[in-house]
């Protein structure tokens, strides 16, 4: 077993000397064929003997009490097995980060759509009919359904929060002393994960042990929460989730999993529970709306004296986690005087939790639009403004950066985009503009373990409970092992998504790839040393290639060196002192060309380009796909996505894909994605860093800045919709 803690820069891995030449290459996903042919089995597609179906029964009020639940009519319907309603073993809603178990039903309702029961039947249709036949009586009370209405009771981040309030120097005085000062308010709306695969689980008990086929991102977090919610030990839970149809922070323990487990235990047979799309909007957490005050104080040359990002967000009554809006801003630009604060307003709405790129996805929109405003006030090119405020060290903490190539990203992006040749123009009734913005996302490392076994047949088997959300985890883990052990890709088997395997980081926070890959690499290091020992040579003198070990004048197949007994090793990586010694982040530059119709206010994005600095690239094709996907998210945040709340009841009005607008094919232009690659030895043994969330952070601002450049209308309340542009459009 190899157990490594990141307390100093890693000296490097044997795979850095590898000659298999597959690490970093743009290889096709090894799980691609089974996905496109239907061979990949997702959580709700499993077939289990004697399986029953469950459909959640939910509350019809936003705040108040349930006074009666009449199940008589539902119980008499065909195929109905049981109706569990008004039951204190059931969850009210999906737990959010900071909650170690689901809140149980107690008759009170704190947000619309909370779970109050479950109808179980022999088929989905019968269960759905039964759930609809349950008559729920309630006594509604006045709730707080808008963030601004909850502002009088807003509170500061709790002790130990990921991002505490940070105030350094005197920003108010810096604003007074500034040659140019920007003081503007921006807002972003509530948003949801919108994963294609709905939340669902199949629960099956064997005596007192639970097996759950599910769609969960991070098993090491899910098992303890599920266990405490059910009153059992985490060791008595097996989670199986080899394929996930999108997660984005939302696929952890949700209400469906607990409902299925409770019903299956009582009935003594497997139960499948899937949440309908409308239920997902109300019973699973999303992203809070934000109200942000951005202050930028600059001297006449455009150097920041200080800046601030102070925000109001909301959270469900009783929960304490929050959207860390200024997370990307804290270490981004120079400036002595700084203010990064958040206030949390309690509301009677579905809880808010991590949605892809928490903090930066919405915080960078406002900050980078304000930077564009400052550049225009100063008469500076917006890239030059950022260049003049590039810090040598983290300006808030004083820590050195583990690596930082932001200016290189801007230089490369400007060259590829043709930034220096851009011009505002019109094409008929279309006004054409260009925008640019910084992308930034904090970088994390998480505890992660993997077992690698080299078999007597000369094949490598990778086992870890790491999950794949569709991001390419299967492929990059195989590439790491193939490079380290000198094996072709078709000699490697990757097994993921089973909690009986070694505990991995899981997928989330852009830490999954770097953490899980590092654990695989460490296990392979140990195996490589054993192969060298079997060769009678020093590990540094052995070359591993095409399933052979080569040293001196000998070339020996791996299978011969392994013999009859497989060689197995477990690699484990831990974050260590490096997390405290260095400021770690990923960066990028986002460019956009947008066309605005001067008659209708319609916006069409014609070009987007991003250049990113995220350490070593493990697979250029999957990394590029992640960057492009992130930029599409950013485009959607700029122009489309917005949850609408009925202020009278707290119900979500647009709770399906027909009304909650996300970018469709016609909305998305040709997108280019490139990398400035640098191995960051302070981050992890592989030197790789996250990219999945980085592509979102800044993309929306690049779109918004391009819209302003085109038509001269600055929209500060997102999304940018035609009604917000029409009154300010210039005549054509």
């Amino acid at each position: 077993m190899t157990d490594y803690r990141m307390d100093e820069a890693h000296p490097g891995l044997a795979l850095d000397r590898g000659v298999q030449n597959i690490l970093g290459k743009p290889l096709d996903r090894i799980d691609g064929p089974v996905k496109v042919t239907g061979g990949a089995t997702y959580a709700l597609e499993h077939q289990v003997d004697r399986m029953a179906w469950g459909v959640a029964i939910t509350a019809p009020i936003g705040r108040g009490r349930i006074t009666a639940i009449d199940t008589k009519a539902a119980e008499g319907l065909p195929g109905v097995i049981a109706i569990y309603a008004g039951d204190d073993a059931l969850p009210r809603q999906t737990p959010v980060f900071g909650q170690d178990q689901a809140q149980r039903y107690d008759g009170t309702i704190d947000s619309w759509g909370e779970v109050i029961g479950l109808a179980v039947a022999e088929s989905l249709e019968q269960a759905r009919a039964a759930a609809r036949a349950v008559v729920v009586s309630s006594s509604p009370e006045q709730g707080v359904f808008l963030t601004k209405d909850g502002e009088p009771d807003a509170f500061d981040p709790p002790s130990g929060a990921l991002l505490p309030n940070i105030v350094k120097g005197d920003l108010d005085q810096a604003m007074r002393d500034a040659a140019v000062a920007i003081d503007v308010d921006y807002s972003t709306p509530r948003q949801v994960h919108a994963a294609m695969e709905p939340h669902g689980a199949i629960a099956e008990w064997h005596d007192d042990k639970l097996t759950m086929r599910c769609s969960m991102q991070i098993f090491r977090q899910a098992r303890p929460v599920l266990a405490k919610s059910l009153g059992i030990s985490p060791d008595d839970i097996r989670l199986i989730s080899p394929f996930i149809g999108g997660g984005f922070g939302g696929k952890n323990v949700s209400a469906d999993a607990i409902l299925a487990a409770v019903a299956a235990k009582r009935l003594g047979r497997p139960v499948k529970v899937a949440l309908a799309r409308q239920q997902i909007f109300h019973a699973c957490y999303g992203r809070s709306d934000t109200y942000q005050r951005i202050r930028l104080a600059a001297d006449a040359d455009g150097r920041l004296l200080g800046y601030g990002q102070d925000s109001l967000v909301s959270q469900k009554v009783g929960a304490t986690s929050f959207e860390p809006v200024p997370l990307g801003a804290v270490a981004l630009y120079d400036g002595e005087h700084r203010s990064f604060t958040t206030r949390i307003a309690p509301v009677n709405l579905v809880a808010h939790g991590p949605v892809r790129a928490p903090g930066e996805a919405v915080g960078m929109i406002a900050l980078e639009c304000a930077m564009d405003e400052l550049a225009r006030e100063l008469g500076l090119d917006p890239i030059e403004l950022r260049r003049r405020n590039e810090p040598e060290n983290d300006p808030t903490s004083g820590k050195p950066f583990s690596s930082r190539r932001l200016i290189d990203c801007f230089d490369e992006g400007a060259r590829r985009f043709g930034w220096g040749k851009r011009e505002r123009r019109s094409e008929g009734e279309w006004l054409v503009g260009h925008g640019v913005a910084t992308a930034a996302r904090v970088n994390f490392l998480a505890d992660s373990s993997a077992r690698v076994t080299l078999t007597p047949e000369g094949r490598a088997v990778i086992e870890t409970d790491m999950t794949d959300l569709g991001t390419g985890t299967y492929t990059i883990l195989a590439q790491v092992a193939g490079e380290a052990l000198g094996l072709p890709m078709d000699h490697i088997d990757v097994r993921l998504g089973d909690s009986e395997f070694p505990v991995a980081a899981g997928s989330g926070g852009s830490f999954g790839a770097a953490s899980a890959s590092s654990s695989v690499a460490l296990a392979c290091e140990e195996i490589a040393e054993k192969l060298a020992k079997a060769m009678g040579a020093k590990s540094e003198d052995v070359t591993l290639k095409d399933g052979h070990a080569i040293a001196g004048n000998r070339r020996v197949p791996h299978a011969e060196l392994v013999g009859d007994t497989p060689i197995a090793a477990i690699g484990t990586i831990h974050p260590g002192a490096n997390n405290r010694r260095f400021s770690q982040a990923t960066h990028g530059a986002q460019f956009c060309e947008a066309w605005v119709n001067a008659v209708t206010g319609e916006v069409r994005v014609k070009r987007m380009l991003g250049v990113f600095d995220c350490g070593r690239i493990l697979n250029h094709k999957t990394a590029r796909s992640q960057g492009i996907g992130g930029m599409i998210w950013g485009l959607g945040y700029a122009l489309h996505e917005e949850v609408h709340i009925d202020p009278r009841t707290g119900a979500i009005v647009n709770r399906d894909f027909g009304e909650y607008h996300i970018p469709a094919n016609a909305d998305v232009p040709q997108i280019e994605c490139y990398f400035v690659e640098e191995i960051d030895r302070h981050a992890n043994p592989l030197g790789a860093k996250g990219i999945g969330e980085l592509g979102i952070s800044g993309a929306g601002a690049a779109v918004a800045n391009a819209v302003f450049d085109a038509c001269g209308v600055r929209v500060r309340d997102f999304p940018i919709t035609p009604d917000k542009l029409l009154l300010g459009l210039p005549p054509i």
Side-chain angles (χ1 to χ4, degrees):
M1 175 180 288
T2 301
D3 198 287
Y4 190 86
R5 185 175 298 276
M6 287 301 300
D7 288 327
E8 56 187 17
H10 194 277
L13 296 159
L15 61 77
D16 295 319
R17 305 190 304 272
V19 294
Q20 195 63 38
N21 199 31
I22 57 175
L23 188 59
K25 297 297 181 183
L27 304 183
D28 292 341
R29 300 185 186 205
I30 61 176
D31 53 320
V34 295
K35 287 183 175 178
V36 300
T37 59
T41 305
Y42 291 80
L44 293 172
E45 297 178 321
H46 288 273
Q47 300 299 316
V48 181
D49 291 341
R50 299 180 63 245
M51 185 174 68
W53 290 76
V55 170
I57 304 164
T58 56
I61 57 173
R63 184 170 184 266
R65 294 195 61 84
I66 301 300
T67 56
I69 304 176
D70 184 351
T71 64
K72 186 176 181 180
E75 291 168 341
L77 291 176
V80 172
I81 301 169
I83 305 291
Y84 303 117
D87 190 325
D88 64 8
L90 301 181
R92 287 172 59 173
Q93 207 172 62
T94 293
V96 295
F97 283 6
Q99 295 177 328
D100 60 359
Q101 62 180 312
Q103 186 180 7
R104 296 186 177 187
Y105 175 84
D106 62 3
T108 63
I109 300 299
D110 284 328
S111 70
W112 186 283
E114 286 188 349
V115 175
I116 60 175
L118 182 73
V120 186
E122 297 292 349
S123 72
L124 170 62
E125 293 78 11
Q126 291 168 333
R128 185 169 55 204
R132 290 173 177 174
V134 173
V135 179
V136 179
S137 301
S138 60
S139 175
E141 300 172 6
Q142 182 61 46
V144 179
F145 304 129
L146 299 176
T147 297
K148 285 290 189 178
D149 289 345
E151 187 172 10
D153 296 317
F155 54 93
D156 290 335
S159 176
L162 169 67
L163 183 64
N165 286 344
I166 298 171
V167 177
K168 182 179 179 182
D170 188 341
L171 182 56
D172 290 334
Q173 185 61 48
M175 294 288 286
R176 290 191 289 268
D177 294 341
V180 177
I182 299 292
D183 189 342
V184 289
D185 294 324
Y186 278 83
S187 69
T188 62
R190 289 178 178 83
Q191 297 153 346
V192 297
H193 299 91
M196 184 179 296
E197 178 198 30
H199 293 246
I202 300 173
E204 184 176 10
W205 292 85
H206 301 278
D207 297 324
D208 291 326
K209 295 186 181 296
L210 171 66
T211 297
M212 182 166 289
R213 293 165 177 85
C214 55
S215 186
M216 295 187 189
Q217 298 179 219
I218 306 175
F219 287 177
R220 63 186 172 90
Q221 292 179 348
R223 289 175 77 196
V225 173
L226 189 57
K228 192 163 185 179
S229 299
L230 297 172
I232 61 176
S233 167
D235 294 336
D236 291 333
I237 299 175
R238 181 185 181 187
L239 302 179
I240 301 173
S241 187
F243 299 103
I244 300 174
F248 318 123
K251 292 283 185 67
N252 286 298
V253 176
S254 51
D256 55 272
I258 304 170
L259 289 170
V262 170
K265 183 68 172 178
R266 291 180 178 179
L267 294 174
R269 60 186 289 190
V271 174
K272 175 192 291 190
V273 175
L275 297 179
R277 184 66 62 183
Q278 293 83 356
Q279 292 175 329
I280 292 172
F281 274 65
H282 278 120
C284 300
Y285 58 79
R287 194 195 302 275
S288 169
D289 52 343
T290 74
Y291 297 87
Q292 307 176 38
R293 181 188 182 191
I294 309 293
R295 288 178 288 172
L296 305 173
D299 65 19
D301 293 325
R303 291 180 173 81
L304 288 170
L305 307 175
Y307 71 110
Q309 187 168 27
D310 302 299
S311 304
L312 174 71
V313 301
S314 64
Q315 181 56 289
K316 185 177 182 179
V317 172
T320 57
S321 62
F322 64 98
E323 183 75 22
V325 175
L327 194 59
V330 171
L332 195 52
Y333 298 125
D334 247 333
E336 178 182 356
H337 306 282
R338 315 168 77 77
S339 178
F340 307 114
T341 66
T342 309
R343 296 277 291 166
I344 305 141
V347 293
N348 296 110
L349 297 172
V350 60
H352 298 123
V355 180
R356 204 173 201 198
E360 293 98 338
V362 287
M364 294 295 292
I365 288 180
L367 175 62
E368 289 302 293
C369 285
M371 285 290 284
D372 194 68
E373 295 192 52
L374 178 61
R376 292 176 184 277
E377 288 291 324
L378 289 162
L380 277 178
D381 182 283
I383 295 179
E384 178 59 26
L385 174 63
R386 289 161 175 83
R387 190 187 308 276
R388 293 184 185 186
N389 289 285
E390 175 71 0
E392 292 186 7
N393 295 306
D394 184 318
T396 297
S397 67
K399 298 175 183 178
F401 296 113
S402 63
S403 67
R404 182 171 168 124
R405 300 284 299 278
L406 175 57
I407 299 304
D408 293 336
C409 291
F410 274 112
D411 290 343
E412 180 68 6
R415 181 185 70 81
R416 289 182 177 273
F417 188 78
W419 181 254
K421 300 177 182 178
R422 74 195 186 283
E423 60 178 356
R424 291 178 62 188
R425 67 184 195 277
S426 61
E427 299 282 347
E429 62 187 35
W430 291 92
L431 309 173
V432 181
H434 303 85
V436 68
T438 297
R441 168 68 182 162
V442 294
N443 186 67
F444 299 106
L445 181 68
D447 292 313
S448 196
S449 295
R451 177 170 52 242
V452 179
T453 304
L454 191 59
T455 72
E457 295 76 29
R459 300 185 63 84
V461 179
I462 301 168
E463 295 173 313
T464 170
D465 77 4
M466 181 65 184
T467 53
D468 188 333
L469 303 172
T471 51
T473 305
Y474 281 97
T475 307
I476 61 171
L477 296 187
Q479 286 178 267
V480 168
E483 195 66 54
L485 297 177
L487 290 173
M489 291 288 284
D490 60 5
H491 281 52
I492 303 166
D493 301 311
V494 183
R495 300 172 183 169
L496 303 179
D498 189 328
S499 62
E500 292 195 339
F501 297 151
V503 178
S507 299
S510 292
F511 53 64
S515 304
S517 294
S518 291
S519 63
V520 169
L522 291 170
C524 290
E525 288 275 290
E526 186 174 329
I527 292 174
E529 290 177 2
K530 291 179 180 178
L531 290 175
K533 185 176 180 180
M535 284 281 286
K538 296 180 180 179
S539 59
E540 60 267 26
D541 295 332
V542 176
T543 298
L544 303 177
K545 181 173 173 58
D546 295 333
H548 290 74
I550 306 166
N553 293 322
R554 299 176 61 207
R555 180 183 175 93
V556 183
H558 287 0
E560 184 176 322
L561 295 173
V562 172
D564 295 332
T565 304
I567 300 175
I570 294 179
T572 300
I573 186 68
H574 305 282
N578 278 12
N579 274 16
R580 301 184 296 275
R581 292 173 181 164
F582 294 92
S583 178
Q584 296 191 26
T586 53
H587 299 93
Q590 308 263 24
F591 296 80
C592 176
E593 178 181 307
W595 292 32
V596 179
N597 191 290
V599 177
T600 66
E602 178 185 359
V603 176
R604 285 292 177 192
V605 174
K606 294 292 187 176
R607 284 196 298 151
M608 291 189 76
L609 182 148
V611 180
F612 303 107
D613 156 34
C614 44
R616 186 204 292 265
I617 303 301
L618 303 176
N619 179 311
H620 272 267
K621 180 176 287 188
T622 58
R624 177 177 174 272
S625 294
Q626 286 295 291
I628 290 172
M631 285 188 273
I632 293 171
W633 270 64
L635 186 158
Y637 280 179
L639 303 179
H640 301 290
E641 293 195 42
E642 180 177 17
V643 168
H644 293 279
I645 303 292
D646 185 335
R648 302 164 301 175
T649 64
I652 295 175
V653 177
N654 56 333
R655 53 182 186 164
D656 57 41
F657 285 166
E659 299 294 333
Y660 181 80
H661 294 162
I662 57 177
N665 284 349
D667 299 307
V668 179
Q670 181 66 34
I671 298 179
E672 298 178 64
C673 176
Y674 304 96
F675 301 98
V676 174
E677 194 168 356
E678 177 182 342
I679 297 175
D680 188 345
R681 297 294 187 190
H682 298 293
N684 53 68
L686 271 178
K689 297 196 284 192
I691 184 175
E693 295 166 297
L694 177 63
I696 307 172
S697 308
V703 173
N705 292 335
V707 168
F708 176 82
D709 188 56
C711 68
V713 181
R714 179 71 69 179
V715 177
R716 299 192 181 97
D717 298 311
F718 287 87
I720 302 172
T721 49
D723 58 297
K724 298 173 184 176
L725 295 174
L726 279 173
L727 292 180
L729 291 175
I732 59 171

